[in-house]
Amino acid sequence: MSLDPSRDCPLCPRLVAFREEWRAREPDWFNAPVPVFVPRAGLGAARLLVVGLAPGVRGANRTGRAFTGDYAGDLLYATLKAFGFARGEFEARPDDTLELTEAAIVNSVRCVPPENKPVGAEINTCRRFLQPVPGEMPALRVLVTLGRIAHESAVRALGAKPSAAPFGHGATAKVGGFDVVSSYHCSRYNTNTGRLTEAMFHDVFAKARALADAA
Ligand code: SF4
């Protein structure tokens, strides 16, 4: 079963128009809904699911691989490697040697939104592609959600109300049988302003590692 929308998913008119605009401007870019990034051994190998917000226009929208091509991937992949969820060299290109081992990565909104800001209807519409992912991951134990929007959409995708698992950096909650750890998003803005430090991000993944190993 494919967990990914078609390249021409028509469901969000504003995002379709933005996608078309970028296809015209940059025909060599990916410019389509970004698929789930899965371990080489398949989704069944992943004990962790990282849920991001949406592709960056010059990041995953350009390269076609989640968190690849702009700043956000630098901290995320270094951290996944540090905690044994990935290996290889991340060089911000889909043909680098970086591979996921025990993690998968998905965005709560698969298409790039203008100014990195999806609207509520787009988040709700694209949840149909987030919802089936955990069910296809038999070894899944832990979700790490990056930012409030991704967190709340993931909690809803797991069948709960956001009030059942309030967002907070490092907060953990049991949702739908999984441990969910929320984190500030690893965006350049958050790291430049000091809202998120490398140490704070490591704390989240140390927690995820411990929860994955304990389960
Ligand atoms: S954001 Fe999701 S639902 Fe909306 S057009 Fe893209 S793939 Fe389809």
Side-chain angles (χ1 to χ4, degrees):
M1 169 191 163
S2 173
L3 293 171
D4 297 319
S6 73
R7 276 188 65 82
D8 296 311
C9 177
L11 296 175
C12 304
R14 188 181 75 117
L15 303 189
V16 171
F18 198 53
R19 183 204 296 158
E20 292 304 329
E21 188 184 318
W22 278 98
R23 282 181 182 178
R25 283 171 72 168
E26 297 288 350
D28 295 334
W29 288 11
F30 185 73
N31 291 319
V34 174
V36 184
F37 185 16
V38 305
R40 180 164 295 187
L43 258 188
R47 291 197 276 172
L48 167 69
L49 178 62
V50 177
V51 185
L53 170 60
V57 70
R58 290 177 174 74
N61 175 65
R62 176 172 62 83
T63 65
R65 191 178 76 179
F67 288 87
T68 298
D70 57 11
Y71 173 80
D74 293 358
L75 179 55
L76 177 61
Y77 288 116
T79 306
L80 286 170
K81 279 173 62 176
F83 289 91
F85 292 109
R87 66 183 169 216
E89 284 309 310
F90 175 68
E91 294 174 76
R93 302 191 319 261
D95 61 349
D96 60 21
T97 60
L98 186 277
E99 63 175 282
L100 298 175
T101 52
E102 295 185 10
I105 305 175
V106 66
N107 279 319
S108 51
V109 173
R110 302 291 194 101
C111 292
V112 58
E115 296 173 357
N116 290 330
K117 287 186 185 141
V119 300
E122 293 157 355
I123 298 160
N124 290 337
T125 300
C126 206
R127 194 173 305 117
R128 74 194 61 199
F129 298 111
L130 175 60
Q131 212 146 19
V133 176
E136 296 297 313
M137 301 177 66
L140 181 64
R141 300 290 177 269
V142 185
L143 288 84
V144 169
T145 54
L146 301 178
R148 182 184 298 274
I149 291 174
H151 176 71
E152 293 188 350
S153 197
V155 170
R156 287 185 200 276
L158 294 172
K161 290 187 176 156
S163 57
F167 174 82
H169 184 79
T172 63
K174 203 83 169 169
V175 187
F178 303 108
D179 289 302
V180 180
V181 188
S182 46
S183 169
Y184 292 136
H185 193 282
C186 48
S187 64
R188 187 188 289 277
Y189 178 82
N190 279 348
T191 52
N192 277 355
T193 57
R195 186 180 181 85
L196 179 69
T197 63
E198 186 180 304
M200 288 166 68
F201 205 53
H202 277 206
D203 287 347
V204 164
F205 282 85
K207 217 173 253 190
R209 181 82 254 174
L211 289 165
D213 290 346

